[in-house]
Amino acid sequence: ELVGLAGTERRSVETLSGGEQQRVALARALAPSPRLLLLDEPLGSLDRPLQERLLDELAELFERLNLSVVYVTHDVAEAFALGDRVALMREGRMVQVATPDELWARPADEWAARFLGLANVEVDGSTARVTRPEAIRVERCAEGDAIVLRAQRSGPVVRLRVRGAVGQELEAVVAAVHAPAKGDRVALDIDPAGVVIVPR
């Protein structure tokens, strides 16, 4: 019941779906009432819609059980969805440990920023300027000095790739029903609070 498999007790695990088999594995791990649970890429073999559904269920389950979990993943979205604290590792060493919000707001260095998916990274000697995509306001404007190169919708959010007046390309996100489209001329405004200077 805890993992949502009530009614399947007498079925062979091989007859269950991939998501149900993952739940069986989780139930087996929880059966001895551990104080700490280690999960290593538990959703890696599942398709994206099933991953997203199980992520929500895992978050609720861990909170209900008040269980400490070490969750190993290469998927930043999974880590941010489940982690109270996230540890970024590179070559076997911890680069940064922080809450998801802290990681996103202030990555430790250029590598951490790129690993987290922050594409707006401009290197300048020993430092890098990181501009978060949500800090870039994009407004459709016939006289705008920037042009939309790509617009990709993911639910309510549209991710834009924009080329500015001096040729630099920036990634921005907007939440809008009628977002700018590929080829549109736009004006850009960057919120300084969304820009951080980090070491290389």
Side-chain angles (χ1 to χ4, degrees), residues 33-83:
S33 300
R35 289 184 299 167
L36 178 68
L37 187 63
L38 171 64
L39 299 176
D40 188 0
E41 298 279 359
L43 306 181
S45 62
L46 304 177
D47 61 47
R48 178 53 73 179
L50 184 53
Q51 284 180 1
E52 290 174 1
R53 193 173 85 230
L54 288 179
L55 265 179
D56 290 341
E57 293 176 7
L58 285 174
E60 290 175 15
L61 179 63
F62 298 153
E63 188 173 331
R64 186 165 18 134
L65 294 175
N66 197 23
L67 180 65
S68 294
V69 179
V70 177
Y71 189 99
V72 180
T73 182
H74 289 88
D75 188 311
V76 173
E78 279 183 37
F80 279 15
L82 290 175

Side-chain angles (χ1 to χ4, degrees), residues 148-162 170-177 179-183:
V148 177
L149 302 176
R150 187 178 74 236
Q152 181 180 6
R153 181 171 289 281
S154 177
V157 175
V158 179
R159 187 172 293 275
L160 302 172
R161 188 81 184 162
V162 181
L170 295 169
E171 189 173 273
V173 291
V174 296
V177 175
K182 181 178 178 180

